[in-house]
Amino acid sequence: SPWRWGLLPLSPVPLLPERGGRLFFSTSCARCSKNRRLRQKRIISERKLTRYFVDHRKVRVVGGQGGGGGHSFYSEPRKIFGGPDGGNGGDGGHVILKADQQVKSLSSVLPFYQGFQGERGGRKNCYGANGASLYVKVPVGTLVKEDGKVVADLTQHGEEYVAAYGGAGGKGNRFFLSNENRAPTFFTPGEPGQERLLHLELKTTAHAGLVGFPNVGKSSLLRAISRARPAVAAYPFTTLNPHVGIVQYQDYEQVSVADIPGLIKGAHQNRGLGMSFLRHIERCHFLLYVVDLSVPQPWIQLEDLKYELEQYQKGLSERPCVVIGNKIDLAESRIHLPLLKEQIGDRVIALSALKGDNLEELFLHLRELYDTYVKTEQSRGQSPAKW
């Protein structure tokens, strides 16, 4: 019986007539069709969504090995002793660092690169082909250091720096032909390529930089105005790596904003995170000072921040800026806001990064700073940085 064979399901299902003593299920019935449920995407944790800037990378670069010289003697039926005809080997390929504005981090840079090897010299005085150059794309604003000294500063798109030269190709036995030696049998191998240990250091080339002390809400503000997802927590020094968010406007202009890790007093003396992150502020075209309005005398924060920037680099605190008073949703912040405006002469934008209050004013003023920067660069005959 079908029940004994195990062909009948427990629930009533339309069956086709018997064929060869067996019952067949209907494939046209919706109840009999295979239940193909869509797989739900795994929920990615907030920690995995956090993407860090890789701003340091040690790279060992080795130029390509030169091809060896050829060793052969020309011979044909009516010219048996044609003499040596081994060609020279090809030169090894270089390793070249090339600045590319599409690359934003050093995370794609590998710790080791080696150039392509040159080909060996052939018969009939044929020279070996040179090894192709190996191009390594790095972000715009990459410093190349060797033994602590800056050897290159790639600040423009398409700018190149030869990190390691390829070795010269070897000489074939034809090269050693002379009146004293009419049949040279020796040749030289290719020379090894140049080997160097370089330290790549990225200075963030964002348009705007968020500058402030720890736990003032810089990361929360970057999350509110862009799609960047830096870590946010209720303790200081949450951000240990710089993050960059993109603010997009309706006319397709994009303004990059960098979340610089929090500074402390004495940062110019390499205290706290110190010099390792002050260099990211150095190449920001305008600054966004973030102060905590909930603390007493918030203008002291602004004075200390400008002092640290000025001690690090003279004139850095004089760049175009705006003061952002965060945490306006708190009651004590509304009391401190008028006092802050009286103490400083810069424009103050009071907002709440947590609740998203008054972000429109920040967007408008950020665009004004960006347009001013673009006009200034165009008046100098330079192209402004684009993201």
Side-chain angles (χ1 to χ4, degrees):
S1 92
W3 293 99
R4 184 181 62 191
W5 297 339
L7 297 177
L8 293 179
L10 297 178
S11 59
V13 177
L15 299 176
L16 293 177
E18 284 189 344
R19 294 182 184 177
R22 300 185 64 180
L23 295 176
F24 288 81
F25 295 103
S26 172
T27 58
S28 61
C29 179
R31 291 183 298 169
C32 299
S33 62
K34 199 171 184 179
N35 187 11
R36 299 178 180 178
R37 292 178 297 178
L38 295 177
R39 294 183 180 179
Q40 295 181 353
K41 291 185 177 181
R42 188 188 307 175
I43 300 177
I44 302 177
S45 64
E46 191 76 15
R47 190 170 185 177
K48 290 184 178 180
L49 285 174
T50 302
R51 294 184 176 91
Y52 298 114
F53 237 36
V54 178
D55 56 350
H56 281 277
R57 186 73 84 188
K58 285 186 179 180
V59 183
R60 187 167 70 94
V61 289
V62 180
Q65 174 86 18
H71 175 265
S72 64
F73 289 89
Y74 186 74
S75 177
E76 61 182 16
R78 296 185 180 181
K79 193 174 183 181
I80 301 176
F81 302 102
D85 65 345
N88 299 337
D91 298 334
H94 308 319
V95 179
I96 302 176
L97 302 179
K98 185 174 183 179
D100 191 345
Q101 62 183 4
Q102 299 297 328
V103 181
K104 305 302 181 184
S105 175
L106 292 175
S107 59
S108 60
V109 178
L110 302 178
F112 175 74
Y113 288 99
Q114 185 172 10
F116 295 98
Q117 185 176 354
E119 293 186 2
R120 186 180 182 85
R123 300 179 56 191
K124 299 182 180 180
N125 298 321
C126 291
Y127 282 33
N130 296 332
S133 297
L134 177 62
Y135 287 88
V136 182
K137 293 183 179 181
V138 296
V140 177
T142 301
L143 281 178
V144 184
K145 293 184 178 181
E146 185 179 17
D147 297 331
K149 297 181 180 179
V150 178
V151 295
D153 188 3
L154 307 177
T155 58
Q156 299 294 331
H157 174 70
E159 192 173 356
E160 298 179 358
Y161 173 71
V162 181
Y165 288 93
K171 302 299 182 183
N173 61 340
R174 170 72 181 181
F175 179 81
F176 300 99
L177 178 65
S178 63
N179 293 331
E180 291 77 13
N181 188 4
R182 303 303 301 174
T185 59
F186 52 90
F187 57 94
T188 59
E191 296 182 1
Q194 184 184 14
E195 183 175 355
R196 302 171 69 184
L197 181 62
L198 302 178
H199 186 190
L200 305 184
E201 178 181 310
L202 176 60
K203 290 189 175 181
T204 308
T205 56
H207 297 123
L210 293 172
V211 185
F213 287 105
N215 211 25
V216 297
K218 300 186 301 298
S219 299
S220 300
L221 180 59
L222 187 65
R223 293 169 66 102
I225 65 177
S226 69
R227 293 184 179 180
R229 290 296 177 264
V232 174
Y235 52 85
F237 296 108
T238 307
T239 304
L240 298 178
N241 298 276
H243 297 262
V244 176
I246 305 300
V247 181
Q248 299 181 354
Y249 291 89
Q250 292 183 352
D251 57 351
Y252 303 104
E253 283 288 352
Q254 295 180 343
V255 181
S256 56
V257 181
D259 177 16
I260 310 299
L263 303 176
I264 63 174
K265 292 184 179 180
H268 67 280
Q269 299 175 351
N270 209 18
R271 294 180 181 176
L273 300 176
M275 299 290 189
S276 59
F277 294 107
L278 276 171
R279 68 175 182 272
H280 292 285
I281 307 175
E282 182 180 351
R283 295 198 174 179
C284 293
H285 303 290
F286 40 92
L287 305 178
L288 306 178
Y289 294 102
V290 183
V291 296
D292 187 358
L293 291 177
S294 62
V295 300
Q297 299 180 346
W299 55 88
I300 297 181
Q301 299 182 35
L302 182 61
E303 296 175 357
D304 294 338
L305 289 174
K306 290 188 175 182
Y307 175 77
E308 294 297 331
L309 297 183
E310 195 66 25
Q311 292 297 317
Y312 173 72
Q313 182 181 1
K314 189 175 182 180
L316 185 59
S317 63
E318 299 177 359
R319 293 188 181 180
C321 66
V322 63
V323 180
I324 299 175
N326 195 15
K327 305 180 183 179
I328 192 60
D329 53 312
L330 302 178
E332 55 270 21
S333 299
R334 301 187 188 95
I335 301 176
H336 299 153
L337 179 60
L339 302 177
L340 176 63
K341 293 182 178 180
E342 293 178 1
Q343 294 291 331
I344 64 175
D346 299 326
R347 181 176 179 177
V348 179
I349 299 178
L351 52 82
S352 174
L354 181 62
K355 295 186 177 181
D357 297 339
N358 201 24
L359 292 179
E360 294 80 5
E361 184 179 357
L362 176 60
F363 287 136
L364 294 175
H365 190 68
L366 187 62
R367 184 58 188 271
E368 293 176 4
L369 292 173
Y370 175 75
D371 292 339
T372 304
Y373 155 71
V374 171
K375 292 180 181 178
T376 304
E377 292 295 316
Q378 291 177 351
S379 62
R380 297 176 180 175
Q382 300 178 358
S383 58
K386 296 286 185 178
W387 275 71

